[in-house]
Amino acid sequence: MNWTRHHILGLADWTTEEYDILMQTASSFREVLSRRTKKVPALQGQVVTNMFFEPSTRTRSSFELAAKRLSADILNFSPGSSSLTKGETILDTAKTYLAMGTDIIVVRHKQAGVPQMIAAEMDFLKTGVCVLNGGDGQHEHPSQGLLDLFTLCSSLDPDNPRIELLKGKKIAIVGDILHSRVARSNIWSLTKAGAQVYLAGPPTLVPQFFLHMVTELENDQLCLNWDIEPALIEADFVITLRLQQERMTDHLLPSLREYHQCYGITRDRLKLCKSQVKVLHPGPVNRGVEISSDLMEDQEFSLIQQQVTNGIAVRMALLYLIGTLNS
Ligand code: NCD
């Protein structure tokens, strides 16, 4: 199968073939990144523009480095120092970058739907510009979902990460699922892989409607628990999520201390899981809240640094696949 997807806006409609192409491509870029000269000429002469309307450390830097490793030119836009402060609209800003010869736009915005809106405008204008969603509101964060998938599959077979490896694996997603676009992208990819996904967290942050997010599921493929224990028992992987306090308009938690007591990932809690269990976190981490500080650094359990490292290869793969689609 060949790659046909022009924009990367979400994982809701991805096929298993697409996931596998992406992971094979990311695998070959991971090999490039292990060389002394970590660069290939694949996107030479193309322009990638990072339009991040929300704070970001890893996603933005990761896309920037990925574009550079592919020899593209990269423009970084920061809303605070841009003409947005003078009243320019988002679409006019995008068209300004279009007029400068941008080929790929990576968009992050606190409002769900902004990357889709820019993609629709680029298609309407027949520009050929590809749009990549770098995280939109509480909707999706596809590149994070893909790097998580790649990290999970690579931990099972480093030389040949592929989606079938996750079939039947038990994966707990713990924490602030309500506000998490990462969790939503994870749910799409992991259920497609045939994993058993257990959502766990306080009722205020894990609403029942998540159970109906994916239709056409096999029995018990998506479960929801307000206690952490059933989600952790015999789990192969635990993905813990940041408490997104900047998105909490009401008091959804008694206190951070109590949250840690009930839902924090600790060495003791991991004893409920399979002995080989691995822990992931998309970052940024509230140390000692979602996960105990010492566990974060423990190479035996934590895949958190590998997620960041893999993010570059995965984003190179995304930029490469969409950037060379029509060439
Ligand atoms: C996530 C995000 O921005 O959605 N972070 C990330 O991109 N690595 C998760 C978060 O902010 O908690």
Side-chain angles (χ1 to χ4, degrees):
M1 189 202 141
N2 288 325
W3 190 261
T4 53
R5 198 177 283 272
H6 183 64
H7 304 297
I8 310 290
L9 300 173
L11 301 183
D13 59 348
W14 273 49
T15 63
T16 50
E17 291 77 17
E18 286 179 296
Y19 285 120
D20 276 340
I21 294 177
L22 187 278
M23 286 198 278
Q24 275 163 23
T25 314
S27 242
S28 62
F29 286 129
R30 187 165 50 188
E31 190 274 316
V32 169
L33 293 171
S34 70
R35 294 181 201 159
R36 194 177 158 83
T37 306
K38 305 172 180 59
K39 206 160 175 155
V40 287
L43 294 191
Q44 202 157 35
Q46 292 206 33
V47 179
V48 177
T49 300
N50 260 341
M51 287 179 69
F52 277 57
F53 297 89
E54 238 192 22
S56 169
T57 304
R58 59 214 89 213
T59 306
R60 180 178 151 142
S61 308
S62 185
F63 268 116
E64 178 168 352
L65 192 56
K68 286 178 171 163
R69 297 293 194 216
L70 292 167
S71 306
D73 296 313
I74 174 106
L75 294 173
N76 276 308
F77 155 91
S78 308
S81 56
S82 77
S83 293
L84 275 186
T85 58
K86 301 179 186 169
E88 188 168 64
T89 66
I90 294 174
L91 280 181
D92 284 337
T93 307
K95 284 186 216 164
T96 303
Y97 285 111
L98 172 67
M100 291 182 190
T102 287
D103 299 284
I104 300 176
I105 302 180
V106 185
V107 189
R108 167 173 288 196
H109 201 283
K110 67 172 194 267
Q111 208 70 49
V114 170
Q116 292 75 354
M117 178 185 78
I118 296 175
E121 183 72 3
M122 292 298 136
D123 290 348
F124 176 72
L125 296 172
K126 298 193 176 25
T127 61
V129 168
C130 308
V131 175
L132 245 152
N133 181 358
D136 66 323
Q138 295 173 28
H139 174 231
E140 279 224 47
H141 192 345
S143 67
Q144 181 72 44
L146 291 167
L147 79 86
D148 292 344
L149 183 76
F150 185 63
T151 303
L152 291 165
C153 293
S154 295
S155 80
L156 295 168
D157 187 349
D159 297 327
N160 188 12
R162 57 199 187 281
I163 197 154
E164 65 174 29
L165 293 166
L166 294 182
K167 196 167 174 56
K169 297 285 181 212
K170 177 167 172 179
I171 304 177
I173 304 181
V174 181
D176 183 359
I177 293 172
L178 174 65
H179 298 102
S180 177
R181 50 197 176 209
V182 177
R184 286 168 175 83
S185 293
N186 286 151
I187 291 170
W188 289 119
S189 61
L190 300 179
T191 53
K192 190 61 140 189
Q196 277 192 300
V197 180
Y198 281 67
L199 310 177
T204 46
L205 298 179
V206 187
Q208 288 273 10
F209 63 71
F210 273 92
L211 280 181
H212 310 292
M213 192 178 131
V214 192
T215 49
E216 296 169 25
L217 283 179
E218 283 172 27
N219 280 348
D220 297 336
Q221 231 199 305
L222 188 57
C223 304
L224 187 150
N225 290 282
W226 293 328
D227 289 327
I228 195 169
E229 281 76 18
L232 293 189
I233 289 169
E234 292 293 303
D236 296 278
F237 296 100
V238 179
I239 301 177
T240 173
L241 300 166
R242 185 174 68 91
L243 286 179
Q244 304 205 8
Q245 293 180 79
E246 75 278 15
R247 294 187 197 277
M248 293 187 195
T249 45
D250 295 317
H251 296 286
L252 299 176
L253 290 168
S255 72
L256 294 184
R257 229 183 91 187
E258 194 167 325
Y259 176 84
H260 183 69
Q261 268 167 18
C262 296
Y263 300 101
I265 304 301
T266 59
R267 264 173 223 284
D268 249 6
R269 286 230 158 91
L270 286 188
K271 289 182 186 146
L272 292 169
C273 307
K274 293 234 176 82
S275 60
Q276 304 287 308
V277 66
K278 301 280 182 243
V279 181
L280 293 84
H281 190 308
V285 176
N286 295 308
R287 268 181 189 268
V289 179
E290 299 103 34
I291 180 168
S292 60
S293 198
D294 62 313
L295 201 53
M296 261 183 83
E297 327 287 346
D298 188 333
Q299 300 299 314
E300 192 191 336
F301 293 109
S302 169
L303 294 178
I304 298 173
Q305 290 304 320
Q306 290 185 38
Q307 285 173 278
V308 178
T309 306
N310 285 335
I312 302 165
V314 166
R315 293 185 171 107
M316 284 174 81
L318 283 171
L319 292 170
Y320 172 80
L321 289 168
I322 62 174
T324 56
L325 188 58
N326 299 318
S327 58

